[in-house]
């Protein structure tokens, strides 16, 4: 009579053990899921607006790949911000700020100079990644132009919505004799041909760009610097998400500067270190 009781007890023990095993497995699975959820924070997709017509800054190489100083810097920042995923989108330079305003993109990476006019409408991050000094650029044999006054009545090439265009437009607001501003398409790279052929008399450009657009040295810079400014990324103003993104990018940029990566990128793409205001 005791034998069936022993079998029943043994069976009960097996079932209890099996139940404990199932419970342990469930707890372990739940813990693993919690760990995964904790370690895989939400990744926010960010659309970055840039162009394709700025040699060595944002352009398509011989294989059709988007690259350049600003592009590779954005990719480096992206690597250091796991909470974000950057998607580079290209467009005409003149459309970048409008696309930012209409929320088609989340920030602009295109060597954007900070100036008072832009600062009224847009948010700039705080950590500069380059520094520009704008000058007048003319044909190498042109010795008649040294100042903005010398450009009055002459044709000057510039990109619409650019910082250089703002300099010319501000001059025209304050003077009776106007500069004839010729607005160039953001993807047209015929500046040298336009100036040397006499179709236009001059352009304005940042100090480092001349060697990029004029490798055969047919042009020269003249006169004193017209302006200088930090180069930053541009975001929507009065937007909490934009401010949070801007702050995160500033943190990454500080690290990129500190470990020498920013200077190396500038040397590689721009032919020198243009990442700081050396006059300070």
């Amino acid at each position: 009579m005791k034998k069936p009781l022993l079998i029943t007890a043994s069976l009960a023990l097996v079932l209890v053990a099996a139940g404990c095993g199932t419970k342990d497995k469930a707890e372990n699975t739940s813990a693993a899921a919690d760990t995964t959820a904790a370690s895989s924070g939400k990744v926010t997709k960010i659309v970055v607006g840039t162009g394709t017509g700025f040699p060595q800054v944002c352009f398509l190489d011989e294989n059709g790949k988007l690259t350049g100083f600003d592009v590779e810097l954005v990719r480096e920042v992206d690597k250091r911000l796991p909470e974000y995923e950057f998607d580079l989108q290209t467009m005409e330079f003149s459309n970048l700020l409008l696309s930012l305003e209409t929320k088609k993109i989340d920030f602009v990476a295109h060597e954007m100079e900070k100036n008072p006019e832009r600062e009224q409408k847009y948010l700039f991050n705080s950590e500069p990644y380059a520094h520009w000094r704008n000058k007048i650029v003319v044909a190498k044999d042109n010795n008649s132009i040294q100042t903005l006054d010398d450009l009055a009545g002459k044709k000057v090439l510039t990109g619409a919505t650019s910082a250089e265009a703002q300099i010319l437009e501000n001059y025209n607001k304050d003077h009776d004799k106007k500069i004839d501003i010729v607005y160039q398409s953001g993807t047209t790279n015929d500046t040298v041909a336009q100036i040397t052929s006499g179709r236009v008399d001059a352009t304005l450009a940042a100090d480092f760009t001349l060697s990029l657009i004029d490798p055969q040295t047919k042009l020269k810079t003249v006169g004193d610097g017209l302006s200088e400014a930090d180069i930053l990324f541009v975001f929507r103003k009065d937007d909490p998400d934009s401010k949070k993104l801007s702050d995160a990018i500033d943190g990454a940029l500080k690290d990129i500067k500190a470990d020498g990566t920013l200077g190396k990128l500038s040397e590689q793409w721009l032919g020198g270190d243009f990442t700081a205001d050396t006059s300070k």
Side-chain angles (χ1 to χ4, degrees), residues 6 88 220 265:
L6 182 59
L88 282 152
K220 65 181 179 181
L265 285 172

Side-chain angles (χ1 to χ4, degrees), residues 91-102 105 160-161:
M91 59 191 68
E92 291 278 345
F93 175 81
S94 58
N95 292 332
L96 284 168
L97 293 176
L98 178 60
S99 296
L100 181 65
E101 292 173 25
T102 55
I105 61 176
T161 76

